[in-house]
């Protein structure tokens, strides 16, 4: 009897999990479309209006294919092989809105999805997928005047090479040739590079749209590679700010001020960053308060009044995070800063985690606060 | 006896092929280094000083892993699995100098090498590898003033969207703000896109180096997407020039002339392209001789005096190919053009095929001829 009970429990468990899956599947809307981050002409991966993602990968002789994305962005999705040798599968639930990195595990090896474009994250070029967001209009490509994103190679004596940065110049920059602009230095996160804010973040489109709507006075954004310890990708433990601070403050800023029509003073210079870029912003703004007057940490730690008291007072401190991160820490830090007399602003992105949708929204909230009169 | 002879022949064949392989292997220099096109920190793929390429891919449970690159760029290289589950292999011979696209076939599916960066070619993001060339200095990143490569989004009413182009502005462009520059419109090949000339071709570095050596008077290069028939990737059969000609001549050129300090006349405007981009150049320059005065076909067909006679006479016709393509066709065409009184120049890239090393060298030869006094 004991034996039978065990079997019964097992059957109930299987049965209930099957019911659950059936219920869930019944709810999936079959309005899947190719992800906007697909390579031209590629039908998969697809996303539906509920945020489910569906994958299809050709590898007829493979033993197993897994997608690193699962329910709510956690876990993974095992694909199953159909008669045509195509591995297919759908996430077990809707994913968070916005951009996600992912990769495939095929027979124990890590590869990208041949249908998706690649985005540098986790110190490798990863596949990217876009879950349509209810507020996607603010970073959409629209019929408005567009700024340019310039790749520059600036001399870096401290690292004995020419280093790459991208410079967003706003619409009008090329025509209004006597006008000068404030600058935001904006850093990517750990494992990403200087392409992230344009490719994943659509920083240029966010700015183009904000400027077209009259919500932001045009400014320049400069994005460069913040991991000066290229050789070791072991993590943040060994990260020292000195090397990057030298590149940014002593090499990049003078280059930008010499090659672009900037307003080259502290009042018109901001620094911000996401995740590790926030950590860099925190360190560099405290080390060099004479260089920047506005600080922004996007899912990248907080300031406290004690560490600021010896510095030149910043005009603005902006601290944000996704609601699925640790938003209380952001809100508490900003309360403390306000009590201590700082112009501090918090922002919490609803329903998003430590991912680019949080940072797109954060930039959208930050931009109007920076240099508007 | 007949039977024995057959076995003997078979054994001789096997034995000779083994000897051949051994001889070849004995000659491979073990000075392999990571390819310069690898993702940061990735050890494989590697290349040696003779032009051999070595691959290593982790996929412990895979049944087969093949690399699409083989001897001289043809065929493929089967990798073999070692005890650690790593698939390794070396090309059977040296590869042509320069850049090559490639991909992996894993268990029947097409994937990229997780060690290499990706480059858009063959209508997909492919892996890229760089075989060091004897003349690689001309496209190396050097300590010279660098121009910028600007991503622009220009309005395209004919295709009802904003289209992307990259604009190379030479060193000095940002400082000498009253100077105006000639422009070369430079097209990629079939299955590539507007990123190809910078990423694979290093057009910006070629220009930076030529300008630093005083061999070229600075000019602007504009690169945009030439496949306006995105939906169909079936090939060139269905390609019609009209849609792209409208985008280029009626939309992009006016945008560039309005947003950059160009000399906006025929004498200071050239068009060139590689492969399909040469085909586009051929059609558009003949259709619109009033727009361009210098034409360049890089492994992209030829002009004949008959088709030119009704057109405004071009100042320069440049036609090139790799020595492993059909260089006689280029030489014969240029002879005929010269006889007919045209300023025509041929160039043959030694030891290269229908690949980017041919086109890098072609641009290096072309640039000094275009706009120098």
């Amino acid at each position: 009897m004991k034996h039978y009970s065990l079997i019964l429990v097992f059957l109930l468990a299987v049965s209930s999990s099957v019911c659950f899956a059936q219920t869930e599947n019944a709810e999936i809307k079959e309005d899947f479309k190719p992800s906007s981050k697909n390579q031209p002409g590629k039908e998969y991966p697809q996303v539906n209006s509920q945020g489910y993602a569906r994958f299809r990968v050709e590898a007829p002789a493979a033993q197993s294919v897994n997608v690193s994305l699962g329910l709510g962005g956690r876990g993974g999705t095992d694909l199953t092989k159909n008669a045509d040798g195509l591995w297919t599968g759908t996430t077990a639930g809707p994913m968070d809105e916005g951009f996600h990195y992912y990769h495939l595990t095929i027979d124990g090896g890590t590869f990208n999805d041949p249908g998706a474009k690649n985005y540098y994250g986790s110190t490798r070029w990863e596949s990217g997928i876009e879950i349509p967001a209810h507020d996607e209009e603010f970073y959409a490509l629209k019929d408005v005047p567009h700024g340019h994103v310039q790749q520059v190679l600036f001399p870096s004596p401290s690292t004995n090479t020419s280093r790459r940065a991208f410079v967003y110049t706003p619409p009008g920059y090329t025509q209004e040739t006597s006008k000068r602009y404030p600058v935001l230095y904006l850093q990517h996160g750990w494992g990403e590079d200087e392409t992230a804010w344009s490719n994943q973040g659509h920083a240029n489109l966010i700015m183009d749209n904000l400027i077209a709507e009259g919500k932001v006075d045009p400014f320049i954004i400069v994005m460069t590679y913040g991991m000066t310890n290229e050789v070791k990708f072991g993590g943040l433990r060994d990260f020292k700010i000195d090397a990057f601070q030298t590149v940014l403050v002593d090499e990049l800023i003078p280059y930008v001020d010499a090659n672009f029509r900037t307003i080259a003073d502290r009042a018109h210079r901001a620094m911000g960053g996401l995740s590790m870029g926030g950590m860099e912003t925190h360190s560099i703004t405290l080390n060099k308060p004479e260089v920047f007057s506005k600080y922004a940490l996007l899912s990248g730690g907080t300031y406290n009044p004690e560490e600021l008291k010896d510095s030149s007072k910043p005009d603005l401190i902006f601290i944000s995070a996704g609601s699925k991160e640790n938003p209380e820490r952001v809100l508490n830090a900003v309360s403390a800063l306000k009590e201590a007399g700082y112009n501090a602003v918090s922002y919490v992105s609803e329903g998003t985690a430590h991912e680019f949708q949080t940072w797109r929204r954060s930039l959208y909230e930050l931009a109007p606060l920076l240099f508007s009169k």
Side-chain angles (χ1 to χ4, degrees), chain A:
Chain A
M1 185 63 189
K2 202 174 179 185
H3 198 67
Y4 280 75
S5 326
L6 270 174
I7 288 170
L8 188 64
V9 169
F10 178 71
L11 283 173
L12 279 171
V14 169
S15 149
S16 110
S17 102
V18 167
C19 283
F20 179 64
Q22 280 176 336
T23 311
E24 258 200 346
N25 282 330
E27 286 170 1
I28 298 180
K29 284 193 191 154
E30 287 300 328
D31 57 357
F32 285 89
K33 291 178 195 159
S35 156
S36 63
K37 295 289 183 287
N38 282 9
Q39 297 186 24
K42 302 292 183 192
E43 283 296 307
Y44 284 84
Q46 298 193 339
V47 292
N48 81 352
S49 59
Q50 300 162 296
Y52 286 80
R54 181 168 288 172
F55 303 91
R56 191 174 78 182
V57 177
E58 185 174 3
Q63 307 302 298
S64 67
V65 180
N66 174 276
V67 178
S68 63
L69 288 174
L71 182 59
R74 294 179 299 276
T77 301
D78 285 325
L79 306 189
T80 53
K81 189 165 73 167
N82 69 14
D84 298 326
L86 294 169
W87 292 81
T88 56
T90 304
T91 52
M95 314 236 308
D96 287 351
E97 294 185 338
F99 176 86
H100 306 281
Y101 296 108
Y102 75 102
H103 56 258
L104 308 176
T105 302
I106 302 174
D107 289 348
T110 302
F111 301 96
N112 283 337
D113 187 333
K117 285 188 195 160
N118 302 301
Y119 299 84
Y120 198 66
S122 318
T123 75
R124 68 181 299 274
W125 287 91
E126 289 255 293
S127 299
I129 191 170
E130 185 77 35
I131 305 297
H134 73 281
D135 56 350
E136 63 188 2
E137 280 298 305
F138 80 84
Y139 51 89
L141 175 65
K142 294 185 185 172
D143 186 16
V144 299
H146 295 291
H148 299 171
V149 179
Q150 308 199 24
Q151 176 194 288
V152 306
L153 296 167
F154 63 99
S156 169
S158 75
T159 59
N160 198 30
T161 188
S162 294
R163 300 184 71 85
R164 186 168 72 163
F166 289 97
V167 180
Y168 168 81
T169 53
Y173 183 88
T174 55
Q175 280 102 356
E176 298 168 47
T177 54
S178 61
K179 189 170 174 182
R180 293 190 160 268
Y181 298 82
V183 185
L184 165 64
Y185 289 82
L186 187 61
Q187 289 303 124
H188 60 82
W190 183 86
E192 297 174 336
D193 71 11
E194 65 275 25
T195 62
W197 267 110
S198 301
N199 288 358
Q200 291 93 299
H202 301 311
N204 54 325
L205 299 180
I206 292 171
M207 288 294 291
D208 292 346
N209 292 337
L210 279 168
I211 292 166
E213 289 173 38
K215 290 182 180 164
V216 163
D217 289 335
F219 60 85
I220 290 169
I221 301 180
V222 178
M223 302 155 277
T224 197
Y225 187 53
M227 295 177 76
T228 42
N229 52 344
E230 286 97 340
V231 186
K232 303 178 241 164
F233 287 112
L236 288 172
R237 206 165 25 115
D238 301 327
F239 193 88
K240 291 191 175 55
I241 198 64
D242 312 61
F244 179 60
Q245 183 173 299
T246 299
V247 167
L248 182 73
V249 176
D250 300 338
E251 297 172 345
L252 179 56
I253 291 178
Y255 179 88
V256 169
D257 286 337
N259 283 278
F260 294 87
R261 298 194 314 276
T262 63
I263 307 173
D265 62 24
R266 176 180 181 272
H268 297 88
R269 198 182 291 123
M271 183 172 183
L274 71 89
S275 195
M276 180 194 78
M279 192 189 85
E280 294 175 337
T281 300
H282 181 266
S283 297
I284 293 176
T285 52
L286 292 180
N287 291 344
K288 297 278 180 182
E290 71 279 15
V291 177
F292 305 96
S293 63
K294 298 131 201 315
Y295 312 166
L297 310 182
L298 286 52
S299 306
T302 58
Y303 290 95
N304 66 62
E306 290 67 38
E307 60 193 350
L308 285 160
K309 65 186 170 190
D310 292 332
S311 308
S312 305
K313 194 171 180 178
D315 299 340
L316 172 72
I317 298 175
F318 177 93
I319 308 181
S320 72
S323 70
K324 296 186 174 184
E325 300 190 85
N326 192 345
E328 293 72 24
R329 203 168 153 234
V330 166
L331 299 172
N332 294 339
V334 166
S335 292
L337 288 164
K338 280 180 169 171
E339 272 174 39
Y342 290 96
N343 176 29
V345 175
S346 63
Y347 169 69
V348 174
S349 164
E350 271 312 311
T352 62
H354 200 71
E355 293 193 281
F356 247 106
Q357 192 69 1
T358 299
W359 307 320
R360 290 169 176 167
R361 290 177 180 165
S362 295
L363 177 60
Y364 180 80
E365 296 294 324
L366 168 66
L369 305 176
L370 281 174
F371 302 112
S372 297
K373 282 144 257 174

